[in-house]
Amino acid sequence: MVPPSVERRSERARRAILDAALELCQDQSFAGLTMEGIAKRAGVGKQTIYRWWPSKAAILLEALQERGGATLIFPDTGDIVADLRTQMTQVVRAFNDPMFAAYSRGLISAAQSDPEIAAAVVESIIRPRVDLCVDRLAKAQQAGDIHPDANLPDVVELLYAPLYYRLLLHTRPTTEAQVDAVLTMVFQGLRP
Amino acid sequence: MVPPSVERRSERARRAILDAALELCQDQSFAGLTMEGIAKRAGVGKQTIYRWWPSKAAILLEALQERGGATLIFPDTGDIVADLRTQMTQVVRAFNDPMFAAYSRGLISAAQSDPEIAAAVVESIIRPRVDLCVDRLAKAQQAGDIHPDANLPDVVELLYAPLYYRLLLHTRPTTEAQVDAVLTMVFQGLRP
Amino acid sequence: MVPPSVERRSERARRAILDAALELCQDQSFAGLTMEGIAKRAGVGKQTIYRWWPSKAAILLEALQERGGATLIFPDTGDIVADLRTQMTQVVRAFNDPMFAAYSRGLISAAQSDPEIAAAVVESIIRPRVDLCVDRLAKAQQAGDIHPDANLPDVVELLYAPLYYRLLLHTRPTTEAQVDAVLTMVFQGLRP
Amino acid sequence: MVPPSVERRSERARRAILDAALELCQDQSFAGLTMEGIAKRAGVGKQTIYRWWPSKAAILLEALQERGGATLIFPDTGDIVADLRTQMTQVVRAFNDPMFAAYSRGLISAAQSDPEIAAAVVESIIRPRVDLCVDRLAKAQQAGDIHPDANLPDVVELLYAPLYYRLLLHTRPTTEAQVDAVLTMVFQGLRP
DNA sequence: GTTTAAACGAGACGGTACGTCTCGTCTTCCC
DNA sequence: GGGAAGACGAGACGTACCGTCTCGTTTAAAC
């Protein structure tokens, strides 16, 4: 995050640390993750970790960015509701993957007491995906499928917030049925 | 939470512990809260805490239940949208109160790695408020103000999730404008 | 030791406490003995113990006095060396009994940091036995078997100290051979 | 005592711990000595103590060995009784020094419930001094000043045990008069 | 026989110290 | 000079006992 001199850095150590963090997080959840554990698993000195990352969340964040880069696409078939369903269903699947859920919960949990983590999570994970969704909604709005007064970032929130709600509040599991329910309510409105 | 013998319990110690926990959580956030710190501030032996609560989150939960009990009312003026706006605005205000926000974030954060905390948060904080909201929505549904097919718990989620989303993801602050936006979108629907 | 009112005292509780102390001391040695453990084993409230004894050593002391009272006799056959050998051999046997050794070591150990215990040990255990020995030596001195200048309490120390030395310093076990060696050296003198 | 890797060890920390232990033992006696207190006084983490010593007695033992090394000499003027008097008088003086007496009592007390301490005390404190005394006695025996049948280690015990007896049993203080009495009795024998 | 005051069992309380754990820094060698 | 190794100062963890302090409940002498 704030390195002393980027050139001499050992790529081997960097890779080992990122991999160890991901593996340990799977095994023991984010709360059980420790700097000491990562160092041991990666065969790396603790100082090497502290030199390049300020916290365990920062490590995980970087690890996830590397792995999750591929998912940054948003379908466009012309049917906005169908495309949203496709995309939201992917999110539901990710939230139901124990590993991904552990990462997400851990990072958001850490963000509650560390503003830097919070900012990094938003910047590198949330914002890019929201922007993509906003772009797709803008097309639909221009096509006349969405009310012209609608504030699109607010729409994105309205659609995805219920998924995060269940993930973080542990009320019910997220399901595809939830996606359908949200889409129906949001596009039809609640009035009879 | 899991008491050894409820009768002899010292109310003085109980109060001191709950108060100390709330005060320290304000000062140092939930992550900086320690059993040792609570004990010292409350003038209490650590054993006395461990005897009655399994974790610091459990203490905070009990403290919040006592203080927040008064908020368990839901207005009913006959105008469902106005009543929701009233209630949701109260939630927005609470989320903008640094102290309450710290508690909420801390508890939800702790819930991510402790299923018991998660269950307790849902049971004692979330569920009662959701139920109240569902009741109010049911009346509106019977009055013909809400589509008869709408699943009311899903509606509650749809309305409140965006508030939690901003609280936990730290994207933007929750505002009254957000409440209006959500209510407009949800009740009108996104179609033009 | 310093009772509030001796009459109402429960003999049942007293016996249970003394017995429990002895039993626990056998099982776990004096160092592992705790007031809490004694109370639990005796089926007695802690307060009942603190009401009548100031320390765990005081309990053990009283327990030992009751049991060991019978050993307060000193043989007198007319042959002082033989009588000393008889008596000292008894002491050796006691020191080689694991239970008695544990009690003795524990009490003397406790006496190092508690002057009251030290005084009590001397008064109730050591002094009576030393006095008996001095009496027997006095007879021998009058019979002309011991040098008239000899200071008898010093003689007692000279005879018994080597037994305590081995008990407490853990150099070698005390044996009957040691008794013989001591008696020979002391009565013959070291000069050729 | 049971080190993990001797090379990297901080000499500064070691010295601070040994010094703190000695100072605290003077102030509050061995029984009042705590690991926590030593750590605080030495400005050291508790782990650093536990890493290198298994118990507070082990610390004290090492501290004493360093300081007491100088006393390992035995006079040889040709007069065995005079030399013993010189040496035993030194021991009497040490036993009457409150600090030294506290250390000795504390260590021997601890040895009663910890065989490792007991062994260490014998090996590092008692044995070297006994050996020195035996050597001096052997010379005297060859010079014809001591009975050829006398078992010298037994003689050492006979001479020094009365000093330890008074130190540990707290009957009377050790004095130079006691040394004279012991030497007279032992070398003359008790017979008239 | 009833009263009544104490000793009793039980165990919660405010504390202290325990020995372990992890933190983030510092130090020491190796490459 | 970066990296491995890991000792270090710090301090929270949860546990064990300490000695004190209520609590009802026996219980046995005094009335």
Side-chain angles (χ1 to χ4, degrees):
Chain A
M1 240 67 186
V2 257
S5 120
V6 206
E7 283 311 318
R8 296 187 172 280
R9 181 168 188 182
S10 154
E11 178 60 18
R12 195 191 61 67
R14 184 173 156 279
R15 276 256 52 84
I17 290 166
L18 295 180
D19 291 348
L22 285 179
E23 289 161 20
L24 286 171
C25 194
Q26 285 178 246
D27 297 356
Q28 312 149 32
S29 86
F30 182 82
L33 201 62
T34 69
M35 289 303 220
E36 219 127 59
I38 296 173
K40 180 146 285 178
R41 164 82 85 128
V44 137
K46 283 198 288 175
Q47 193 58 247
T48 304
I49 303 184
Y50 284 109
R51 189 151 30 224
W52 303 104
W53 292 276
S55 69
K56 58 183 187 172
I59 303 172
L60 211 56
L61 204 58
E62 189 171 329
L64 283 179
Q65 273 176 268
E66 296 218 334
R67 298 232 169 157
T71 65
L72 272 175
I73 29 162
F74 211 101
D76 184 356
T77 64
D79 179 348
I80 181 62
V81 173
D83 288 352
L84 285 169
R85 178 175 293 113
T86 302
Q87 170 64 17
M88 289 169 72
T89 299
Q90 276 189 0
V91 173
V92 165
R93 263 187 219 123
F95 282 3
N96 281 308
D97 169 21
M99 186 172 81
F100 186 87
Y103 297 153
S104 305
R105 287 183 178 127
L107 275 177
I108 296 175
S109 187
Q112 303 314 311
S113 56
D114 184 339
E116 290 197 41
I117 295 298
V121 166
V122 169
E123 288 310 313
S124 65
I125 309 267
I126 307 294
R127 175 113 63 221
R129 285 159 180 81
V130 167
D131 288 349
L132 241 47
C133 189
V134 166
D135 290 347
R136 180 67 190 83
L137 289 170
K139 276 193 199 162
Q141 200 171 34
Q142 282 169 331
D145 293 331
I146 290 180
H147 197 289
D149 291 350
N151 178 283
L152 298 185
D154 286 356
V155 174
V156 177
E157 266 182 18
L158 190 65
L159 292 165
Y160 286 89
L163 306 183
Y164 282 93
Y165 180 92
R166 291 197 190 172
L167 175 75
L168 299 172
L169 273 296
H170 298 83
T171 49
R172 304 180 263 176
T174 55
T175 61
E176 300 195 22
Q178 187 194 11
V179 172
D180 290 331
V182 166
L183 286 172
T184 303
M185 288 189 289
V186 167
F187 276 86
Q188 285 192 181
L190 289 180
R191 297 296 185 193
Chain B
M1 243 66 188
V2 259
S5 116
V6 205
E7 284 308 320
R8 303 197 173 286
R9 180 167 190 182
S10 156
E11 179 59 19
R12 195 192 61 67
R14 184 175 155 278
R15 276 257 53 82
I17 291 166
L18 295 180
D19 291 347
L22 286 179
E23 289 161 20
L24 286 172
C25 195
Q26 283 177 250
D27 298 355
Q28 308 151 33
S29 87
F30 182 82
L33 201 61
T34 66
M35 290 301 217
E36 214 132 63
I38 296 173
K40 180 150 286 179
R41 164 82 85 127
V44 138
K46 281 198 286 177
Q47 196 64 59
T48 302
I49 304 184
Y50 285 108
R51 194 159 17 231
W52 303 105
W53 292 277
S55 68
K56 57 184 186 170
I59 302 172
L60 216 53
L61 203 58
E62 189 172 328
L64 282 179
Q65 274 176 269
E66 294 219 333
R67 298 234 168 156
T71 66
L72 272 174
I73 28 162
F74 211 101
D76 184 357
T77 63
D79 179 348
I80 181 63
V81 173
D83 288 353
L84 284 169
R85 178 175 294 113
T86 303
Q87 170 65 17
M88 289 168 72
T89 299
Q90 275 188 2
V91 174
V92 165
R93 262 184 222 127
F95 282 4
N96 281 309
D97 170 20
M99 186 172 82
F100 187 88
Y103 301 153
S104 305
R105 288 183 178 128
L107 275 176
I108 296 176
S109 186
Q112 302 316 312
S113 56
D114 184 339
E116 290 196 40
I117 295 299
V121 166
V122 170
E123 287 309 314
S124 66
I125 308 270
I126 307 295
R127 174 116 62 222
R129 285 158 180 80
V130 168
D131 288 349
L132 241 47
C133 188
V134 166
D135 290 347
R136 181 65 191 84
L137 289 170
K139 275 194 200 163
Q141 200 171 33
Q142 282 170 333
D145 294 330
I146 290 180
H147 196 291
D149 291 350
N151 178 283
L152 299 185
D154 287 356
V155 173
V156 177
E157 266 181 19
L158 190 66
L159 293 165
Y160 286 89
L163 306 183
Y164 283 93
Y165 180 92
R166 291 196 190 173
L167 175 75
L168 298 171
L169 273 297
H170 297 82
T171 49
R172 304 181 263 176
T174 55
T175 61
E176 300 196 22
Q178 186 193 13
V179 173
D180 290 331
V182 166
L183 286 172
T184 304
M185 288 189 289
V186 167
F187 275 86
Q188 286 191 182
L190 289 182
R191 298 294 184 193
Chain C
M1 243 69 189
V2 256
S5 122
V6 206
E7 285 308 321
R8 297 191 173 281
R9 182 168 187 183
S10 156
E11 179 59 19
R12 195 193 58 69
R14 183 174 157 278
R15 277 256 52 83
I17 290 165
L18 295 180
D19 292 347
L22 285 179
E23 289 160 21
L24 286 172
C25 195
Q26 285 179 248
D27 299 354
Q28 311 149 35
S29 88
F30 181 82
L33 201 60
T34 68
M35 290 302 219
E36 217 130 60
I38 296 173
K40 179 146 287 179
R41 164 82 87 128
V44 138
K46 282 199 288 177
Q47 193 60 245
T48 303
I49 303 184
Y50 284 108
R51 190 153 29 224
W52 303 104
W53 293 276
S55 68
K56 59 183 188 173
I59 303 172
L60 212 54
L61 204 58
E62 188 171 330
L64 283 179
Q65 275 177 267
E66 296 219 332
R67 300 232 168 155
T71 65
L72 272 174
I73 32 163
F74 211 100
D76 185 356
T77 64
D79 179 347
I80 181 62
V81 174
D83 289 352
L84 284 169
R85 178 176 294 113
T86 303
Q87 170 65 16
M88 288 168 73
T89 299
Q90 276 189 2
V91 173
V92 164
R93 263 185 221 126
F95 281 4
N96 282 307
D97 170 21
M99 188 171 79
F100 186 88
Y103 298 153
S104 305
R105 288 183 176 128
L107 275 176
I108 296 174
S109 185
Q112 302 316 310
S113 56
D114 184 340
E116 291 197 40
I117 295 299
V121 166
V122 170
E123 288 310 314
S124 66
I125 308 268
I126 307 294
R127 175 113 65 223
R129 284 157 181 82
V130 167
D131 288 350
L132 241 48
C133 188
V134 166
D135 290 348
R136 181 64 191 84
L137 288 170
K139 276 194 198 161
Q141 200 170 32
Q142 281 170 333
D145 293 330
I146 289 181
H147 197 289
D149 293 348
N151 177 283
L152 298 185
D154 287 356
V155 174
V156 177
E157 266 181 20
L158 191 65
L159 293 166
Y160 286 89
L163 306 182
Y164 283 93
Y165 181 92
R166 292 199 191 172
L167 175 75
L168 298 172
L169 273 296
H170 298 83
T171 50
R172 304 181 264 175
T174 55
T175 61
E176 300 195 21
Q178 185 194 12
V179 172
D180 289 332
V182 166
L183 286 171
T184 304
M185 289 189 289
V186 167
F187 276 86
Q188 286 192 182
L190 290 182
R191 298 292 186 195
Chain D
M1 241 67 190
V2 258
S5 119
V6 205
E7 285 308 321
R8 302 196 175 287
R9 181 167 188 183
S10 156
E11 179 60 20
R12 194 193 59 68
R14 183 174 156 278
R15 276 257 52 83
I17 291 165
L18 295 179
D19 291 346
L22 285 179
E23 289 161 20
L24 287 172
C25 195
Q26 285 179 247
D27 298 355
Q28 311 150 32
S29 88
F30 181 83
L33 201 60
T34 67
M35 290 300 217
E36 214 133 62
I38 296 172
K40 180 149 288 177
R41 165 83 86 127
V44 138
K46 283 197 287 176
Q47 196 63 61
T48 302
I49 304 184
Y50 285 107
R51 199 169 2 240
W52 303 105
W53 292 277
S55 68
K56 57 184 189 173
I59 302 172
L60 215 54
L61 203 58
E62 188 172 329
L64 283 178
Q65 274 177 265
E66 295 219 334
R67 299 234 169 155
T71 66
L72 273 174
I73 30 162
F74 211 101
D76 184 356
T77 64
D79 178 347
I80 181 63
V81 173
D83 288 353
L84 284 169
R85 178 176 295 111
T86 303
Q87 170 66 15
M88 288 168 73
T89 299
Q90 276 188 4
V91 173
V92 165
R93 262 184 222 128
F95 281 4
N96 281 307
D97 169 21
M99 187 173 79
F100 187 88
Y103 299 153
S104 305
R105 287 183 178 125
L107 275 176
I108 296 175
S109 185
Q112 303 315 311
S113 55
D114 183 339
E116 291 197 40
I117 295 299
V121 166
V122 169
E123 288 309 315
S124 66
I125 308 269
I126 306 295
R127 175 115 62 221
R129 285 156 180 82
V130 167
D131 288 349
L132 240 47
C133 188
V134 165
D135 289 347
R136 181 65 190 83
L137 289 170
K139 276 194 198 162
Q141 199 171 33
Q142 282 170 331
D145 295 331
I146 289 181
H147 197 289
D149 291 349
N151 177 282
L152 299 184
D154 287 355
V155 175
V156 178
E157 266 182 19
L158 190 66
L159 293 165
Y160 286 89
L163 306 182
Y164 283 94
Y165 180 92
R166 291 199 190 171
L167 175 75
L168 298 172
L169 273 298
H170 297 84
T171 50
R172 304 180 264 176
T174 55
T175 61
E176 299 196 24
Q178 185 193 12
V179 172
D180 289 332
V182 167
L183 286 171
T184 304
M185 289 189 288
V186 167
F187 276 85
Q188 286 192 184
L190 289 182
R191 298 294 186 194

